[in-house]
Amino acid sequence: MRQKSLITFAVSAVKDLEEIKAWYIDQQVPDVGERLLGEVVSQVERLAEFPESGRIVPEFGIAHLREIIHPPFRIVYRLDKMRVRIVRVWRSERLLKMP
């Protein structure tokens, strides 16, 4: 039986989630924001057992940089041996750029 991967969040991903929540509060639909963030967390939790289930990020073509598309978001993560590190949670229409 395969050991579950540890899931961690980069500061950038935490900031993304906070900004998403704030945006929905500003739009006066905090319940929609809460629901969508809950869905994002559910998508992330499945990576503990299925870390390779996301696709390789097409802009880079690097095997260890993957993403889950959960409209309207892209959940971008780095895959290491026993760890999944969530690096960004962005609107799905945004293209990634190297810093």
Side-chain angles (χ1 to χ4, degrees):
M1 182 175 197
R2 187 185 184 289
Q3 186 177 355
K4 287 186 178 183
S5 295
L6 172 67
I7 297 175
T8 62
F9 284 79
V11 171
S12 54
V14 172
K15 185 178 178 204
D16 291 340
L17 293 171
E18 290 170 347
E19 289 175 0
I20 289 166
K21 184 175 180 177
W23 189 86
Y24 283 98
I25 289 170
D26 288 346
Q27 301 302 308
Q28 299 181 354
V29 287
D31 53 322
V32 173
E34 290 292 331
R35 179 180 53 80
L36 288 172
L37 290 179
E39 292 173 5
V40 166
V41 168
S42 291
Q43 293 294 316
V44 167
E45 287 175 342
R46 79 179 167 122
L47 293 174
E49 291 197 46
F50 305 105
E52 294 181 3
S53 62
R55 72 178 187 173
I56 294 172
V57 177
E59 292 95 317
F60 300 114
I62 301 169
H64 65 269
L65 190 61
R66 295 179 173 260
E67 69 182 352
I68 297 170
I69 304 296
H70 184 73
F73 302 110
R74 296 175 81 175
I75 305 163
V76 181
Y77 65 98
R78 180 184 169 98
L79 179 59
D80 295 318
K81 288 188 187 289
M82 293 306 297
R83 183 177 82 160
V84 170
R85 183 153 181 86
I86 309 302
V87 293
R88 299 305 310 238
V89 181
W90 277 345
R91 295 282 305 187
S92 57
E93 66 272 7
R94 287 180 69 176
L95 293 177
L96 292 176
K97 294 180 184 157
M98 289 299 268

